[in-house]
Amino acid sequence: MTVMDDWVTAVCAELGLDPAAVPVPAVLDLARDVAHQVLRPGAPVTAYLFGLAVGQGAEPADAAARLSALAGAWPVELGAEPADPTAL
């Protein structure tokens, strides 16, 4: 097990959740996409909103894909950080 696996298992035990139902790679990919293509503080907020949607019945892979696509299409003029900071 990795530290992430241990952490997810401990958090799930604390909250009464099934660790097998946690799509860790999808959450990490989503957070990365938002942090790099929109803004860094948006990553944890988006992860929270993603969790709310999944808790209300959204399919995790679909919700993550939709939000990642939204982040990827986010207009730079609305404050997105450039994908390549050296491209300024």
Side-chain angles (χ1 to χ4, degrees):
M1 284 191 114
T2 66
V3 173
M4 179 65 78
D5 294 332
D6 292 341
W7 174 247
V8 169
T9 299
V11 170
C12 285
E14 188 69 26
L15 298 176
L17 301 171
D18 176 9
V22 180
V24 173
V27 173
L28 293 175
D29 289 346
L30 174 58
R32 177 203 60 222
D33 293 345
V34 173
H36 290 217
Q37 298 171 0
V38 182
L39 76 161
R40 291 189 198 292
V45 173
T46 303
Y48 176 78
L49 295 170
F50 169 78
L52 288 176
V54 171
Q56 292 179 2
E59 197 279 317
D62 177 61
R66 290 172 53 199
L67 294 175
S68 287
L70 180 63
W74 196 253
V76 172
E77 61 271 7
L78 291 180
E81 300 168 9
D84 177 8
T86 63
L88 298 174

PDB file of all heavy atoms in Angstrom, residues 26-40:
ATOM      1  N   ALA A  26      -8.954   9.671 -10.699  1.00  0.00           N
ATOM      2  CA  ALA A  26      -9.833  10.668 -11.331  1.00  0.00           C
ATOM      3  C   ALA A  26      -9.816  11.972 -10.549  1.00  0.00           C
ATOM      4  O   ALA A  26      -9.779  13.062 -11.149  1.00  0.00           O
ATOM      5  CB  ALA A  26     -11.252  10.118 -11.441  1.00  0.00           C
ATOM      6  N   VAL A  27      -9.831  11.897  -9.228  1.00  0.00           N
ATOM      7  CA  VAL A  27      -9.814  13.104  -8.404  1.00  0.00           C
ATOM      8  C   VAL A  27      -8.482  13.840  -8.575  1.00  0.00           C
ATOM      9  O   VAL A  27      -8.455  15.066  -8.723  1.00  0.00           O
ATOM     10  CB  VAL A  27     -10.070  12.775  -6.921  1.00  0.00           C
ATOM     11  CG1 VAL A  27      -9.889  14.008  -6.046  1.00  0.00           C
ATOM     12  CG2 VAL A  27     -11.463  12.183  -6.742  1.00  0.00           C
ATOM     13  N   LEU A  28      -7.382  13.096  -8.576  1.00  0.00           N
ATOM     14  CA  LEU A  28      -6.072  13.731  -8.737  1.00  0.00           C
ATOM     15  C   LEU A  28      -5.920  14.366 -10.117  1.00  0.00           C
ATOM     16  O   LEU A  28      -5.391  15.476 -10.239  1.00  0.00           O
ATOM     17  CB  LEU A  28      -4.958  12.710  -8.497  1.00  0.00           C
ATOM     18  CG  LEU A  28      -4.845  12.184  -7.066  1.00  0.00           C
ATOM     19  CD1 LEU A  28      -3.773  11.095  -6.985  1.00  0.00           C
ATOM     20  CD2 LEU A  28      -4.568  13.298  -6.088  1.00  0.00           C
ATOM     21  N   ASP A  29      -6.395  13.664 -11.149  1.00  0.00           N
ATOM     22  CA  ASP A  29      -6.324  14.233 -12.501  1.00  0.00           C
ATOM     23  C   ASP A  29      -7.168  15.487 -12.611  1.00  0.00           C
ATOM     24  O   ASP A  29      -6.746  16.483 -13.204  1.00  0.00           O
ATOM     25  CB  ASP A  29      -6.785  13.206 -13.547  1.00  0.00           C
ATOM     26  CG  ASP A  29      -5.796  12.068 -13.742  1.00  0.00           C
ATOM     27  OD1 ASP A  29      -4.636  12.168 -13.291  1.00  0.00           O
ATOM     28  OD2 ASP A  29      -6.199  11.059 -14.363  1.00  0.00           O
ATOM     29  N   LEU A  30      -8.357  15.445 -12.037  1.00  0.00           N
ATOM     30  CA  LEU A  30      -9.239  16.606 -12.064  1.00  0.00           C
ATOM     31  C   LEU A  30      -8.599  17.789 -11.340  1.00  0.00           C
ATOM     32  O   LEU A  30      -8.569  18.908 -11.860  1.00  0.00           O
ATOM     33  CB  LEU A  30     -10.594  16.254 -11.425  1.00  0.00           C
ATOM     34  CG  LEU A  30     -11.578  17.399 -11.239  1.00  0.00           C
ATOM     35  CD1 LEU A  30     -11.905  18.072 -12.566  1.00  0.00           C
ATOM     36  CD2 LEU A  30     -12.829  16.877 -10.551  1.00  0.00           C
ATOM     37  N   ALA A  31      -8.065  17.550 -10.163  1.00  0.00           N
ATOM     38  CA  ALA A  31      -7.417  18.623  -9.397  1.00  0.00           C
ATOM     39  C   ALA A  31      -6.235  19.209 -10.174  1.00  0.00           C
ATOM     40  O   ALA A  31      -6.053  20.432 -10.198  1.00  0.00           O
ATOM     41  CB  ALA A  31      -6.961  18.095  -8.042  1.00  0.00           C
ATOM     42  N   ARG A  32      -5.466  18.353 -10.824  1.00  0.00           N
ATOM     43  CA  ARG A  32      -4.334  18.833 -11.634  1.00  0.00           C
ATOM     44  C   ARG A  32      -4.827  19.721 -12.774  1.00  0.00           C
ATOM     45  O   ARG A  32      -4.295  20.803 -13.005  1.00  0.00           O
ATOM     46  CB  ARG A  32      -3.563  17.643 -12.201  1.00  0.00           C
ATOM     47  CG  ARG A  32      -2.398  18.041 -13.116  1.00  0.00           C
ATOM     48  CD  ARG A  32      -1.994  16.948 -14.098  1.00  0.00           C
ATOM     49  NE  ARG A  32      -3.125  16.617 -14.947  1.00  0.00           N
ATOM     50  CZ  ARG A  32      -3.458  15.359 -15.285  1.00  0.00           C
ATOM     51  NH1 ARG A  32      -2.775  14.334 -14.845  1.00  0.00           N
ATOM     52  NH2 ARG A  32      -4.498  15.145 -16.074  1.00  0.00           N
ATOM     53  N   ASP A  33      -5.866  19.260 -13.477  1.00  0.00           N
ATOM     54  CA  ASP A  33      -6.383  20.023 -14.608  1.00  0.00           C
ATOM     55  C   ASP A  33      -6.870  21.400 -14.181  1.00  0.00           C
ATOM     56  O   ASP A  33      -6.568  22.408 -14.833  1.00  0.00           O
ATOM     57  CB  ASP A  33      -7.514  19.255 -15.302  1.00  0.00           C
ATOM     58  CG  ASP A  33      -7.043  17.993 -15.990  1.00  0.00           C
ATOM     59  OD1 ASP A  33      -5.816  17.825 -16.188  1.00  0.00           O
ATOM     60  OD2 ASP A  33      -7.905  17.157 -16.318  1.00  0.00           O
ATOM     61  N   VAL A  34      -7.606  21.457 -13.088  1.00  0.00           N
ATOM     62  CA  VAL A  34      -8.115  22.742 -12.612  1.00  0.00           C
ATOM     63  C   VAL A  34      -6.971  23.628 -12.128  1.00  0.00           C
ATOM     64  O   VAL A  34      -6.901  24.814 -12.463  1.00  0.00           O
ATOM     65  CB  VAL A  34      -9.176  22.544 -11.508  1.00  0.00           C
ATOM     66  CG1 VAL A  34      -9.579  23.875 -10.893  1.00  0.00           C
ATOM     67  CG2 VAL A  34     -10.402  21.823 -12.077  1.00  0.00           C
ATOM     68  N   ALA A  35      -6.048  23.062 -11.361  1.00  0.00           N
ATOM     69  CA  ALA A  35      -4.931  23.849 -10.833  1.00  0.00           C
ATOM     70  C   ALA A  35      -4.074  24.439 -11.946  1.00  0.00           C
ATOM     71  O   ALA A  35      -3.621  25.581 -11.838  1.00  0.00           O
ATOM     72  CB  ALA A  35      -4.071  22.991  -9.908  1.00  0.00           C
ATOM     73  N   HIS A  36      -3.888  23.700 -13.017  1.00  0.00           N
ATOM     74  CA  HIS A  36      -3.001  24.161 -14.088  1.00  0.00           C
ATOM     75  C   HIS A  36      -3.716  24.978 -15.153  1.00  0.00           C
ATOM     76  O   HIS A  36      -3.089  25.819 -15.792  1.00  0.00           O
ATOM     77  CB  HIS A  36      -2.316  22.968 -14.747  1.00  0.00           C
ATOM     78  CG  HIS A  36      -1.314  22.315 -13.864  1.00  0.00           C
ATOM     79  ND1 HIS A  36      -0.129  21.794 -14.312  1.00  0.00           N
ATOM     80  CD2 HIS A  36      -1.312  22.084 -12.529  1.00  0.00           C
ATOM     81  CE1 HIS A  36       0.552  21.284 -13.306  1.00  0.00           C
ATOM     82  NE2 HIS A  36      -0.157  21.451 -12.212  1.00  0.00           N
ATOM     83  N   GLN A  37      -5.016  24.744 -15.354  1.00  0.00           N
ATOM     84  CA  GLN A  37      -5.706  25.392 -16.464  1.00  0.00           C
ATOM     85  C   GLN A  37      -6.682  26.476 -16.027  1.00  0.00           C
ATOM     86  O   GLN A  37      -7.141  27.244 -16.860  1.00  0.00           O
ATOM     87  CB  GLN A  37      -6.420  24.340 -17.309  1.00  0.00           C
ATOM     88  CG  GLN A  37      -5.431  23.366 -17.927  1.00  0.00           C
ATOM     89  CD  GLN A  37      -6.104  22.180 -18.596  1.00  0.00           C
ATOM     90  OE1 GLN A  37      -7.318  22.061 -18.624  1.00  0.00           O
ATOM     91  NE2 GLN A  37      -5.291  21.289 -19.129  1.00  0.00           N
ATOM     92  N   VAL A  38      -7.004  26.528 -14.744  1.00  0.00           N
ATOM     93  CA  VAL A  38      -7.922  27.559 -14.258  1.00  0.00           C
ATOM     94  C   VAL A  38      -7.186  28.368 -13.180  1.00  0.00           C
ATOM     95  O   VAL A  38      -6.696  29.451 -13.452  1.00  0.00           O
ATOM     96  CB  VAL A  38      -9.242  26.968 -13.720  1.00  0.00           C
ATOM     97  CG1 VAL A  38     -10.185  28.085 -13.279  1.00  0.00           C
ATOM     98  CG2 VAL A  38      -9.915  26.095 -14.784  1.00  0.00           C
ATOM     99  N   LEU A  39      -7.111  27.840 -11.957  1.00  0.00           N
ATOM    100  CA  LEU A  39      -6.316  28.449 -10.898  1.00  0.00           C
ATOM    101  C   LEU A  39      -6.127  27.437  -9.778  1.00  0.00           C
ATOM    102  O   LEU A  39      -6.973  26.571  -9.569  1.00  0.00           O
ATOM    103  CB  LEU A  39      -6.955  29.738 -10.373  1.00  0.00           C
ATOM    104  CG  LEU A  39      -8.164  29.635  -9.444  1.00  0.00           C
ATOM    105  CD1 LEU A  39      -8.307  30.956  -8.715  1.00  0.00           C
ATOM    106  CD2 LEU A  39      -9.421  29.292 -10.177  1.00  0.00           C
ATOM    107  N   ARG A  40      -5.011  27.542  -9.102  1.00  0.00           N
ATOM    108  CA  ARG A  40      -4.663  26.551  -8.075  1.00  0.00           C
ATOM    109  C   ARG A  40      -5.713  26.418  -6.977  1.00  0.00           C
ATOM    110  O   ARG A  40      -6.095  25.307  -6.634  1.00  0.00           O
ATOM    111  CB  ARG A  40      -3.293  26.866  -7.479  1.00  0.00           C
ATOM    112  CG  ARG A  40      -2.178  26.639  -8.457  1.00  0.00           C
ATOM    113  CD  ARG A  40      -0.817  26.742  -7.798  1.00  0.00           C
ATOM    114  NE  ARG A  40       0.251  26.937  -8.741  1.00  0.00           N
ATOM    115  CZ  ARG A  40       0.670  26.050  -9.626  1.00  0.00           C
ATOM    116  NH1 ARG A  40       0.092  24.901  -9.714  1.00  0.00           N
ATOM    117  NH2 ARG A  40       1.662  26.321 -10.449  1.00  0.00           N
TER     118      ARG A  40
END
